[in-house]
Amino acid sequence: MKTVCLIGKPNVGKSSIFNRLINEKKSIILSEPGITRDRIYGIVTYKDKKFNLIDTGGIHGDEDNFNNDIKIQAELAINESDIILFVVDGLSNIDDADKKIRNMLKKSGKEVIVLVNKIDNEKRKENIYAYYELGFPNVVGVSAEHNLGFRELLDLITNDIEVKEDEKESLLKFCFIGRPNVGKSSLINALLNEERVIVSDEAGTTRDAVDTKFVYEKNEYIVVDTAGMRKKGRIYENIEKYSLLRSMKAINESDVCILVIDATTGVIEHDKHILSYAIDAGKGIVIAVNKWDTIKNTDEEIKKWKKELEVYFKFVPYINVVFLSAKTKKRMHTLMPEIIKAYENNKQNIKTSLINDVISDAVSLHEPPSYKGKRLKIYFVSQTDSKPPKFTFEVNNKKLVHFSYERYLENKLRESFNLEGTPIILQFKNKHE
């Protein structure tokens, strides 16, 4: 997918624009309080076309205040992007900070669209013309506050993106995601060197990632190596926060994502942060605890780790965990079966009659709670999509769906059908909607 990033001074409205664009995507909503994250990356969907969107911190014009961390983030975002949205304040004149950002963007050689924010009435539209002085041919006026001008912007961004028709069943693609130095590349090497695996040298099929095709137990698979995304110039892999940018393209290209955790350091909040993006993208998921060769008394430690993982990842109890070592190849044989299982469950289709039987029984066991004298009624349920499985409920009033009851219905579906290793979507719509 095409990648677009937002660049500009502080307080010009980048985050508001980011939120407006991301809201175009009907994503899986993670309502659990267990996930806290600084949302700097998302996927925008417009007229069945998709692109990645990166938000960045505000760049100051004063060199003394030019925060090095923000500068690195901006440079990395620019490096990863096809189009840059240069956000400016439509109520202010061009200043030195705008000119410094312009010079940085000119050097990048990337396509730039100047996005003039706060253009919320006809009179202010005249302010747009002053920003052609920055030297970029495309200037668009928007109002993030009033949701104006975004159709023109999205048309401009997506005009050369082709809508993909339904593709034939392709080979299972998977990738390893996680913090730097947890052993992602080592796991790929260990996997490809297994005795049962035959490696073929096939060039990458995408611009940024290296795809390696291999055979496992007589079937072909593709592992997407995120190391292939590294471009010329400085690499900021040592900065934990930005490892996410490196992982996102691989997540989008894959069917299954394996979150790699370092057994020597344990789980941290950032692991949940990275995992949440794979869930949002609707991918099959496996958790792999690597460097298991460093653990003594492994039987006892596995019990402790499983308890810890239950606490940290209580919002995804359906994800299976494997404990292994890329270095010694200990327990490497446990990985591929879990990847295959997550993939099969992620793409499966379940008979409508079976789904309705399960939901009917669930409602009989536990009626929906009443709200102001009204009670939710479920008329019909069907699976309307896969990758991930999506279940659409026809109801009397979707506003009566309480979060706790939705979770109850999800649990009943998971108890009845093999949905290990995959997120699922529950959509509620009013009858005849």
Side-chain angles (χ1 to χ4, degrees):
M1 288 195 294
K2 188 180 276 190
T3 297
V4 178
C5 76
L6 295 157
I7 297 287
K9 297 180 299 186
N11 304 317
V12 293
K14 291 188 304 301
S15 294
S16 298
I17 290 168
F18 178 86
N19 290 334
R20 281 290 183 193
L21 291 169
I22 292 304
N23 283 339
E24 297 287 334
K25 174 177 181 277
K26 304 299 186 288
S27 64
I28 303 167
I29 304 301
L30 293 166
S31 304
E32 278 292 327
I35 295 180
T36 57
R37 61 189 180 194
D38 174 20
R39 192 94 154 102
I40 60 165
Y41 201 114
I43 299 172
V44 181
T45 301
Y46 176 69
K47 293 182 179 178
D48 294 325
K49 299 177 178 182
K50 293 184 178 183
F51 61 88
N52 301 312
L53 184 67
I54 304 173
D55 193 13
T56 63
I59 298 175
H60 293 270
D62 184 351
E63 286 296 331
D64 293 336
N65 295 322
F66 195 91
N67 185 290
N68 192 52
D69 190 45
I70 291 173
K71 183 180 179 182
I72 289 171
Q73 184 199 43
E75 288 180 351
L76 181 57
I78 290 167
N79 191 40
E80 293 290 328
S81 298
D82 303 287
I83 297 176
I84 296 153
L85 302 181
F86 179 10
V87 184
V88 294
D89 186 338
L91 304 183
S92 304
N93 295 323
I94 295 171
D95 60 16
D96 287 342
D98 291 318
K99 290 176 182 176
K100 284 182 179 178
I101 295 169
R102 174 200 60 193
N103 294 341
M104 182 172 68
L105 298 183
K106 287 278 188 183
K107 287 178 184 176
S108 75
K110 299 293 179 78
E111 180 183 347
V112 175
I113 299 171
V114 178
L115 204 54
V116 188
N117 192 23
K118 306 179 185 177
I119 304 299
D120 51 14
N121 59 49
E122 288 297 320
K123 187 177 180 182
R124 288 182 180 174
K125 282 185 179 179
E126 295 178 6
N127 297 5
I128 295 171
Y129 300 108
Y131 284 91
Y132 280 99
E133 184 187 324
L134 291 168
F136 300 106
N138 290 316
V139 180
V140 177
V142 298
S143 170
E145 185 178 353
H146 297 95
N147 198 20
L148 301 173
F150 287 95
R151 191 177 297 276
E152 180 187 349
L153 172 66
L154 288 165
D155 283 336
L156 192 58
I157 292 171
T158 62
N159 64 357
D160 61 347
I161 298 176
E162 294 181 6
V163 179
K164 290 186 178 179
E165 302 298 327
D166 290 339
E167 296 176 350
K168 293 180 181 178
E169 191 68 26
S170 56
L171 299 180
L172 191 171
K173 272 189 173 186
F174 62 91
C175 68
F176 293 92
I177 59 174
R179 293 179 279 131
N181 305 317
V182 292
K184 298 187 293 292
S185 296
S186 299
L187 278 169
I188 291 174
N189 292 336
L191 185 68
L192 298 180
N193 288 328
E194 264 199 1
E195 291 177 5
R196 288 177 296 174
V197 171
I198 303 163
V199 181
S200 65
D201 296 324
E202 185 155 312
T205 55
T206 62
R207 186 191 61 189
D208 293 306
V210 175
D211 293 355
T212 304
K213 186 185 289 186
F214 66 96
V215 176
Y216 169 82
E217 294 192 343
K218 298 182 180 179
N219 290 311
E220 288 188 330
Y221 300 92
I222 294 173
V223 57
V224 182
D225 186 358
T226 53
M229 294 181 192
R230 292 179 181 151
K231 298 179 182 179
K232 291 178 182 177
R234 285 178 293 172
I235 301 299
Y236 307 108
E237 286 290 309
N238 59 325
I239 300 177
E240 192 173 272
K241 185 176 179 181
Y242 306 123
S243 63
L244 179 62
L245 298 180
R246 297 278 172 198
S247 299
M248 281 305 301
K249 287 182 181 178
I251 289 172
N252 293 332
E253 291 166 11
S254 300
D255 300 301
V256 178
C257 301
I258 301 96
L259 175 69
V260 184
I261 295 170
D262 187 336
T264 63
T265 59
V267 185
I268 68 166
E269 192 69 21
H270 192 60
D271 292 319
K272 291 197 288 187
H273 189 145
I274 294 172
L275 178 65
S276 68
Y277 282 90
I279 296 168
D280 276 352
K283 306 300 183 177
I285 302 167
V286 178
I287 294 175
V289 181
N290 189 27
K291 305 184 184 178
W292 200 242
D293 57 291
T294 63
I295 303 298
K296 296 176 181 178
N297 194 6
T298 54
D299 291 340
E300 285 299 314
E301 286 297 320
I302 279 183
K303 291 176 186 176
K304 289 180 184 177
W305 265 90
K306 284 183 175 177
K307 285 182 180 178
E308 184 179 348
L309 291 169
E310 281 177 14
V311 172
Y312 270 96
F313 298 113
K314 62 183 179 182
F315 59 95
V316 283
Y318 55 84
I319 296 178
N320 289 331
V321 184
V322 294
F323 300 86
L324 42 72
S325 167
K327 185 178 179 181
T328 65
K329 298 187 183 175
K330 183 179 181 180
R331 299 175 61 90
M332 279 298 298
H333 66 278
T334 63
L335 181 59
M336 280 304 297
E338 291 299 338
I339 292 172
I340 295 165
K341 184 196 295 181
Y343 174 67
E344 293 296 335
N345 293 342
N346 185 254
K347 71 183 183 76
Q348 71 173 308
N349 285 287
I350 302 168
K351 285 185 179 180
T352 302
S353 59
L354 296 177
I355 299 168
N356 281 275
D357 287 345
V358 167
I359 297 302
S360 178
D361 289 346
V363 173
S364 298
L365 284 169
H366 175 40
E367 274 196 329
S370 61
Y371 178 70
K372 292 184 178 180
K374 295 180 180 179
R375 194 182 299 276
L376 177 73
K377 290 182 181 177
I378 300 171
Y379 300 117
F380 184 75
V381 192
S382 60
Q383 184 178 347
T384 50
D385 206 352
S386 60
K387 290 188 176 183
K390 179 179 179 181
F391 301 93
T392 300
F393 292 68
E394 288 188 17
V395 299
N396 58 332
N397 185 349
K398 61 187 177 184
K399 292 181 180 178
L400 296 174
V401 181
H402 190 272
F403 171 74
S404 62
Y405 198 74
E406 182 177 348
R407 179 55 56 91
Y408 166 72
L409 294 173
E410 177 180 340
N411 289 339
K412 286 298 178 185
L413 286 168
R414 289 191 179 279
E415 286 171 15
S416 304
F417 305 111
N418 194 352
L419 294 164
E420 280 184 309
T422 180
I424 64 174
I425 302 171
L426 272 58
Q427 179 187 55
F428 295 86
K429 68 175 188 178
N430 297 334
K431 198 173 183 181
H432 308 306
E433 188 175 78

